[in-house]
Amino acid sequence: MADPLLSMHGVSKRFGATRALDGVSFELRPGEVMALLGENGAGKSTLMKILSGALRPDAGRIELLGNPYLPRDPHAAHAAGVAMIYQELNLAPDLSVEDNVMLGQEIGRAGILRRGAQGPRVREALSRLGHSDLRPETPVGRLSVAVRQIVEIARALVRRARVIVFDEPTSSLTRSDAERLFDVIRRLKRDGIGIVYISHFLEEIRSVCGLFTVLRDGRTVGGGNVADVSNEAIVAQMVGRAVGELFPCVPHQPGETILSLADLSGRKSPRGVSLDLRRGEILGIAGLVGAGRTELLRCVYGLDPIARGEASLPRQRGEAGALPAGTRGRIAAGIGFVSEDRKQEGLAQERSLADNVTLSRLAPYSRCGWLALRRRDAIVGDWMRRLRIRARSPRQAVSELSGGNQQKAAIARVLHQEADVILLDEPTRGIDVATKADIYRLMGELAARGKAVLFVSSYFTELLAVCDRVAAMARGRIVDVRPASEWTEESLLRAAVATPEEAA
């Protein structure tokens, strides 16, 4: 067996009273692809920040190629041969492919770039990744997310990286782009590069990883060969208990129509969407990036204007008719929205958990312009227990919570708002499988209470497992709507890539 490329032994890190890492250990050998698994908040991000040089450990030993490794900053980590490919890519969109690949390691003389010397290195790296057709002079801003990811990996190869960490690399990719990324990872594996792969999709782990290591509460609690363990066993290690069903089913019965869309069109998208949503129903919207799913939800919620058609409430809170104008009116009408972008628009990151949960309905705590903060904290504390939100207190800043707990806070807001129609845009993106199961169960409980859920997801597996009906969307239009039992992942994908004529 080859000597380890990377060894971590007893690595610990504390932030004040919080122990983020407590004696984490693992080894990575040349040509291995190891999955690093754990719930949100398990310590994965802290561990990777230490590996990348962004943080220094309080204790423990790290070795790279058999030598002590403790980079003082990310630049030193790059120089040592460790590269990070983050979920949010670190590229300059106005610069060319070549300039991005060579950024920080340009070849020059007397302040003048030697493009003749740089070009072959860039083309060689792109060729190793199976993208020799990518022109080095192309501005990165013109490329798709998947191809930008290739540029970032090429940068790592030019820097002669021996260890590459992929952090949720498929979160913004289509299914076909994800498969192409997996082919690239297999090429890197054949070249002897060690890869740490962080993902919450167990299907991906089985497709691309040979080994896995599980973190829980900052500790290494398990690991081994992926092929030797079931998904249920991996999840049980992650959460410290048997989770039961990964897609829990809560019995519910669809009833009367609560929201009706008739020939609804936005400025660019959606285009002529007609759809009925019923009480007690989970209706999924499937499609690829750019299909118009998010735009549809934003039109319904009042964030984007409706150019043509109508969204109406046939029987809602004793009234019928078109939805009130603007987001404030939609909230009053009983519509709640959880954005796919929780950092930029889904949550007020620097505000407290209590602020975020109650901002859309402050009336119960307001008197003469003053807020009853203790009463509000008590109610928010109840939501924390019901949704299992892990936070020190209701007054902790949302920015300090893990991604999964932030997502639960966003969902708690629409529940506290007492919305009857709940619009969920990619609510499980970037969160661990146990938290996903909590959200699926919560969606079922909402439907059982007569709420209506409109659920956008790029993850077809969860749509088919959780929804009563699924609508396939392509090029801004609804292509087909069927009971979930009448779809397969393949038929959903065929509908999602419909031609303009088929979509119309």
Side-chain angles (χ1 to χ4, degrees):
M1 183 178 290
D3 292 334
L5 267 178
L6 174 69
S7 301
M8 301 187 109
H9 301 285
V11 175
S12 297
K13 180 67 179 178
R14 182 186 290 273
F15 297 99
T18 303
R19 186 181 289 275
L21 296 175
D22 187 8
V24 170
S25 300
F26 71 81
E27 291 184 342
L28 180 70
R29 289 178 167 77
E32 287 183 342
V33 183
M34 188 193 72
L36 184 63
L37 303 173
E39 290 187 275
N40 294 101
K44 305 187 299 296
S45 296
T46 302
L47 189 64
M48 292 304 101
K49 286 178 181 177
I50 288 174
L51 184 59
S52 70
L55 291 175
R56 294 177 73 86
D58 297 332
R61 186 176 80 258
I62 308 174
E63 294 180 353
L64 183 66
L65 297 169
N67 300 312
Y69 172 77
L70 191 62
R72 64 183 180 276
D73 55 33
H75 182 73
H78 292 154
V82 175
M84 309 289 293
I85 310 296
Y86 290 106
Q87 183 176 342
E88 298 174 359
L89 299 177
N90 186 24
L91 296 171
D94 294 328
L95 297 183
S96 68
V97 168
E98 178 181 320
D99 290 338
N100 272 278
V101 169
M102 299 301 297
L103 197 61
Q105 51 193 345
E106 296 85 352
I107 300 174
R109 179 179 297 166
I112 300 174
L113 284 179
R114 296 176 57 198
R115 293 197 178 274
Q118 286 189 168
R121 293 182 63 182
V122 174
R123 286 191 288 273
E124 180 193 0
L126 293 172
S127 178
R128 283 178 65 185
L129 298 174
H131 283 71
S132 54
D133 58 333
L134 181 56
R135 298 173 65 86
E137 65 271 19
T138 303
V140 161
R142 296 182 186 174
L143 304 178
S144 68
V145 173
V147 181
R148 291 184 195 192
Q149 208 166 49
I150 296 300
V151 174
E152 186 118 42
I153 299 170
R155 178 195 291 169
L157 294 184
V158 167
R159 286 174 170 163
R160 295 181 174 81
R162 301 299 305 274
V163 174
I164 301 179
V165 179
F166 289 87
D167 187 4
E168 295 286 350
T170 65
S171 62
S172 299
L173 299 186
T174 65
R175 193 173 188 173
S176 58
D177 285 338
E179 289 296 335
R180 284 193 282 270
L181 174 64
F182 298 158
D183 288 339
V184 167
I185 290 175
R186 294 182 188 110
R187 287 172 179 261
L188 298 174
K189 177 181 176 180
R190 288 195 294 269
D191 287 345
I193 292 173
I195 294 170
V196 178
Y197 190 90
I198 301 173
S199 175
H200 295 305
F201 293 104
L202 295 183
E203 305 96 303
E204 288 185 8
I205 299 302
R206 293 198 175 280
S207 175
V208 78
C209 301
L211 304 171
F212 73 98
T213 294
V214 177
L215 300 186
R216 186 173 75 243
D217 297 329
R219 298 184 179 91
T220 307
V221 296
N225 294 314
V226 172
D228 294 341
V229 265
S230 66
N231 287 350
E232 290 74 17
I234 291 175
V235 175
Q237 289 185 28
M238 290 168 59
V239 301
R241 56 182 170 82
V243 172
E245 295 181 273
L246 297 181
F247 297 99
C249 180
V250 179
H252 55 274
Q253 185 64 46
E256 63 184 5
T257 297
I258 190 173
L259 175 69
S260 184
L261 309 180
D263 195 32
L264 186 73
S265 297
R267 285 177 176 163
K268 291 185 178 180
S269 194
R271 302 170 64 192
V273 168
S274 295
L275 198 64
D276 287 336
L277 178 64
R278 297 173 290 180
R279 284 190 178 275
E281 179 180 42
I282 304 173
L283 174 56
I285 306 289
L288 304 180
V289 174
R293 301 163 303 161
T294 294
E295 291 83 355
L296 174 62
L297 266 56
R298 291 175 67 88
C299 281
V300 173
Y301 193 57
L303 290 172
D304 290 347
I306 295 175
R308 189 182 73 249
E310 188 176 66
S312 60
L313 304 167
R315 272 182 289 183
Q316 166 81 347
R317 301 194 176 190
E319 298 180 3
L323 285 171
T327 302
R328 184 187 295 270
R330 307 292 167 90
I331 290 174
I335 296 179
F337 176 54
V338 175
S339 170
E340 67 173 336
D341 188 352
R342 60 177 174 257
K343 286 191 175 181
Q344 297 299 319
E345 65 178 25
L347 295 166
Q349 290 287 324
E350 299 309 314
R351 306 295 297 181
S352 70
L353 176 59
D355 286 341
N356 276 278
V357 171
T358 61
L359 274 174
S360 56
R361 190 170 73 97
L362 287 169
Y365 321 106
S366 177
R367 179 175 295 177
C368 300
W370 294 86
L371 286 178
L373 296 180
R374 288 185 182 179
R375 183 172 175 231
R376 188 179 71 159
D377 286 351
I379 297 297
V380 173
D382 185 49
W383 283 114
M384 290 170 62
R385 288 185 289 275
R386 289 167 65 180
L387 272 64
R388 292 192 280 198
I389 299 173
R390 296 172 63 177
R392 292 192 300 271
S393 77
R395 301 196 184 190
Q396 184 176 1
V398 157
S399 60
E400 298 176 3
L401 306 184
S402 68
N405 287 301
Q406 287 191 18
Q407 193 70 345
K408 288 182 180 180
I411 293 173
R413 186 187 67 249
V414 298
L415 300 182
H416 173 268
Q417 179 189 318
E418 298 183 347
D420 291 318
V421 176
I422 298 172
L423 312 175
L424 302 178
D425 194 359
E426 301 282 7
T428 64
R429 176 179 289 171
I431 60 177
D432 60 80
V433 288
T435 303
K436 286 179 184 177
D438 287 341
I439 290 175
Y440 301 145
R441 182 179 295 105
L442 178 61
M443 290 165 62
E445 291 171 352
L446 291 170
R449 289 165 44 196
K451 307 290 186 181
V453 179
L454 194 57
F455 175 29
V456 165
S457 176
S458 303
Y459 183 31
F460 293 173
T461 302
E462 69 180 358
L463 288 175
L464 297 178
V466 171
C467 297
D468 302 296
R469 290 187 298 154
V470 179
M473 197 166 181
R475 304 175 188 272
R477 300 182 182 275
I478 296 292
V479 178
D480 196 3
V481 186
R482 304 182 203 168
S485 59
E486 296 181 11
W487 287 105
T488 65
E489 291 192 40
E490 289 71 25
S491 63
L492 265 180
L493 184 59
R494 282 198 299 272
V497 296
T499 64
E501 293 76 19
E502 291 169 334

